[in-house]
Amino acid sequence: MVIAVYPGSFDPIHNGHIDVIERAARIFDRVIVALANNDAKTPCFSLEERRLMAGEALKEFSNVETDILNGLLIDYVQAKGAGVVVRGLRAVSDFEYEFQMALMNRRLGGEIETFFLIPSEDHTFISSRLVKEVARLGGDVGSFVPPHVERELIKKLL
């Protein structure tokens, strides 16, 4: 059984994330969506709020679960018995950061592989930051996030 971990802040989860998760769920036996805080970002939603929104968005995938990640990713991946870290690449601008992270993870946990997935071209421009910005300014984010996430954004930001 190949277990993959897809880490991220998912603040909030959007259709680009879901597209990558759907692809990963077809490839791996089990996918753990690991929600984490990013010290470089100020989250809009708490970890638990993000976990609940992600769980609702992913409930149709029987081999996908959500969890909260605290601490070092490699320690988490090893504790879960996973062999793969999944990362999404939207654009060339993502590559340099993701490449550095993959090499660091390889150094820290040599047996763990990083698997890059590219979302559908319909979703490559979506980011949580842009979704929150559009929602904060009163724009329609319904085509970028599931309906329940849109409702939570509106409640939180407006």
Side-chain angles (χ1 to χ4, degrees), residues 5-6 27 38 40 51 60 70 77 109 125 131 147 153:
V5 173
Y6 182 29
I27 297 167
N38 181 334
R51 189 189 66 75
E60 71 182 77
N70 290 304
V77 169
F125 66 94
V131 167
L153 275 166

Side-chain angles (χ1 to χ4, degrees), residues 123 144 149:
H123 304 302
F144 309 132
V149 174

Side-chain angles (χ1 to χ4, degrees), residues 18-28 117-121:
I18 296 166
D19 183 72
V20 168
I21 293 163
E22 181 178 359
R23 291 164 191 268
R26 289 194 308 255
I27 297 167
F28 302 107
L117 286 170
I118 299 168
S120 161
E121 58 276 358

